[in-house]
Amino acid sequence: MSSSILKFTPLSSAVDASFWRSLVSKKLNVLGLSDESQAIHGYYTTGQSALDEQENKSIMIQSHFTVPADGLSDIKANFFLKQNTSKIGLYSKGMLVNTNTIEEFRKLDKNKLFQQTTERIINSVKNGEALKDSNLLNSFLLVTFADLKKYKFYYWFAFPAIMPQPTPWVLTETCNKELQPVQMHFSDTQLDCLDKGYQALENNPSYFLIQKEEKTGKIRVSALSEFDNDDNCIFGFIDPSVSTDAPGWPLRNLLYLISKIWNKRKVKVVCYRPHKKNHLTSYFLETELPETSSYDFGFIHPICFYINKAIKSVGWERNVQGKLGPRMADLGPLMDPMRLADTSVDLNLKLMRWRLMPELDLEKIKQTKCLLFGAGTLGCYVARCLIGWGIRHITFVDNGKVSFSNPVRQPLYNFEDALNGGSSKAETAAENLKKIQPTIDATGINVSIPMPGHPSDSDEQLTHQIETLTNLVENHDVIFLLTDSRESRWYPTLLGARKNKIVLNSALGFDTYLVMRHGSRQNQDKKDQLGCYFCNDIVAPTDSLTDRTLDQQCTVTRPGLAAIAGALSVELMVSLLQHPEGIHAKPDTSQALSILGLLPHQIRGFLGQFNNMLIVGQAYERCTACSDKVIISEYNMGPLSLMKRVLEDPLYLEEITGLAAMKKESEALMNEWDEIDDEDDDLN
């Protein structure tokens, strides 16, 4: 009896490497820490033959069950694969369970999940759905754990096949207890009709019927649902096996369906392997279920008593060692290191969203383009913090060179950058930032910023500076003012206000710092409009760089101050981006509207006391940098004309804003008070 047992060739999985990338993307962007099961689909194909040129003979290549790159996408219709003329593939629906840790993967109740998949197959037969969509018989299970840091994927497939009890199906004497080439039962003409008939079936199902007309011998191919209990009818299925003595795994559940729905114990089957397309031989078999066996939950024992037993199914895939256990796909060596670095940065941020802040809009942060005026100590720390938040586009503007004193305080430079007179700060900062995060779009622009009190050498040079900086501001979303002088912040402040960009300002003293955001210039209520860096001053920025002593030429601050101020600047930007009103957000004093907490206007820090103050400053209508009616209006009428006047005479800003007149009035009033005080002294 053992030699006549019907054996089956197990399915062997082959997961498309791009599927793992899709799983990573869905894990990062959709699933997070969710362990809910996910719908998945895959397919198996017929086997193939290849020519061994050395021995000049054909080699049979076993089919694999494949999960494609879009295996997690929602495909509602039946899927029929024709990659080329040598393959036929059948769509199968399954369930993916992805765990969050390797420990969960090991401890997962896999048998329970396996039984759930088996029950879905059983229910599809009971309710008749399997007759409408026979691919439901091929339901499968995939259990995974994705190590997103190392790009290692642990996985285990299960293809449940329902077994009769206590003994299996056997091959009958009709076929000499073996599989026979289909040519022994069909002529070439009939096989051609079989091929054409199958191709004509809707959705090309996994299982079908073959009927021979007794008189004409013509072949008719139809769907399973058309079976009328004709004993001469032959069942067919797309066979992924290339074995000559063991049909493919999908036959097992077809036999279950035939037994349960039509109560048939003897079945004729064609293991269909389209012969003209892949030169494989299809096989014919006749199999029988012993009288003592059944698919019911119980069965009749030969000694005539009933034994109640749970339905039995098998189908866990064996690993490469041939043992029941999971497999592992290590894509780390195959991955582009730059892609790995990019994914790892995203992973760290998305972990934060998964566990703490589901509302955090990381994509908005990632797409933000940042322009940094100044590539010194503040610029370096701000840039490092920006890439920590996943920013992918950073541009530096600076015309300085790296000196020997810079590398110890400015973390984007090293000793070699200071050799031979020093390399360009902006360009070097961008290059070194790419060494830290290779996928970032970092650019260094070596250009001087026009400054009040610093006349330009020529109109051509000034025009070039104006056009370059204007284009940079237009093409970026956030502007950081990180230069080491007050007057170098004036023109970027004007451009930021003119284009209504988010502007972050950071300035250092010896042990104090200022971090602030400039207000929107489009707020309807001007009373609530927040001020810029220059709004609290009643004097215009002037030349503070000429004739400076050594201590004035260097930024003399406590070494830790720049890192603190730089980090606060970036965190203020991120909080602003997450605020529902964005750049128009009012300053928070007690109640936070941003998901990251309070959103202040100004942060003034005092390292000597380890203390911060949150201050609100209103916009000043006579501001020398951002006033709409005066400075911006004057600039719009003639950028070059205004810039030439301001660069030659910074006090011109005070004249056109009315600050000069106001100062004269104040001085006259003070003189009057002095005269009154003198008269009072004389009287005494």
Side-chain angles (χ1 to χ4, degrees), residues 49-108:
S49 63
L51 179 65
D52 185 340
E53 296 181 353
Q54 293 182 349
E55 299 186 11
N56 194 29
K57 68 176 183 179
S58 294
I59 300 174
M60 299 298 105
I61 302 176
Q62 178 68 39
S63 168
H64 289 86
F65 184 88
T66 302
V67 178
D70 62 349
L72 287 168
S73 62
D74 182 18
I75 296 182
K76 296 181 180 178
N78 285 342
F79 173 72
F80 175 65
L81 173 73
K82 284 185 180 178
Q83 289 181 323
N84 50 52
T85 57
S86 66
K87 286 186 180 181
I88 290 181
L90 283 306
Y91 165 78
S92 298
K93 298 177 182 178
M95 177 175 70
L96 168 73
V97 177
N98 183 64
T99 60
N100 291 305
T101 67
I102 189 65
E103 289 77 16
E104 289 181 19
F105 180 78
R106 291 171 180 153
K107 296 177 181 179
L108 188 67

Side-chain angles (χ1 to χ4, degrees), residues 528-543:
D528 294 331
Q529 188 169 296
L530 299 178
C532 76
Y533 181 66
F534 295 91
C535 280
N536 290 333
D537 294 333
I538 60 170
V539 294
T542 57
D543 181 4

Side-chain angles (χ1 to χ4, degrees), residues 325-338:
R327 301 185 177 204
M328 191 267 285
D330 185 1
L331 298 191
L334 304 179
M335 292 291 292
D336 180 358
M338 293 177 65

Side-chain angles (χ1 to χ4, degrees), residues 352-533:
M352 187 166 53
R353 185 177 67 185
W354 295 349
R355 294 189 180 276
L356 301 172
M357 296 180 178
E359 306 89 357
L360 192 61
D361 189 349
L362 293 174
E363 193 61 29
K364 185 175 184 179
I365 299 172
K366 182 178 180 179
Q367 298 301 325
T368 300
K369 297 180 179 180
C370 296
L371 178 62
L372 278 57
F373 282 96
T377 308
L378 278 170
C380 289
Y381 281 112
V382 166
R384 289 301 302 261
C385 199
L386 286 173
I387 62 173
W389 267 107
I391 296 292
R392 295 298 198 274
H393 191 116
I394 297 175
T395 302
F396 296 92
V397 174
D398 201 307
N399 71 332
K401 295 184 179 297
V402 181
S403 66
F404 288 109
S405 65
N406 293 155
V408 296
R409 296 181 297 112
Q410 301 174 8
L412 290 181
Y413 308 120
N414 53 50
F415 174 75
E416 287 74 15
D417 297 327
L419 298 176
N420 303 316
S423 57
S424 164
K425 273 193 168 184
E427 295 171 359
T428 304
E431 291 172 4
N432 289 342
L433 203 61
K434 291 178 183 178
K435 293 177 182 178
I436 299 168
Q437 171 55 300
T439 60
I440 194 171
D441 181 4
T443 307
I445 307 297
N446 190 2
V447 63
S448 296
I449 302 172
M451 298 182 288
H454 298 258
S456 177
D457 293 336
S458 66
D459 287 356
E460 291 77 11
Q461 181 190 57
L462 182 57
T463 299
H464 170 71
Q465 293 169 345
I466 292 173
E467 291 177 352
T468 299
L469 297 179
T470 300
N471 290 333
L472 286 172
V473 170
E474 287 178 349
N475 294 324
H476 288 76
D477 305 304
V478 178
I479 316 300
F480 285 89
L481 306 185
L482 310 167
T483 54
D484 59 0
S485 68
R486 182 168 173 266
E487 63 264 35
S488 60
R489 300 165 188 255
W490 175 79
Y491 188 51
T493 298
L494 187 157
L495 292 177
R498 182 170 176 260
K499 294 296 180 181
N500 201 44
K501 298 287 184 176
I502 295 176
V503 179
L504 283 304
N505 204 319
S506 185
L508 305 177
F510 167 67
D511 61 357
T512 60
Y513 57 84
L514 166 68
V515 174
M516 67 178 296
R517 59 185 174 101
H518 293 184
S520 169
R521 292 299 170 265
Q522 295 179 357
N523 283 343
Q524 295 181 353
D525 190 351
K526 298 299 181 181
K527 295 180 180 179
D528 294 331
Q529 188 169 296
L530 299 178
C532 76
Y533 181 66

Side-chain angles (χ1 to χ4, degrees), residues 556-572:
V556 181
T557 64
R558 291 176 62 170
L561 206 64
I564 297 172
L568 286 173
S569 298
V570 175
E571 296 298 330
L572 184 59

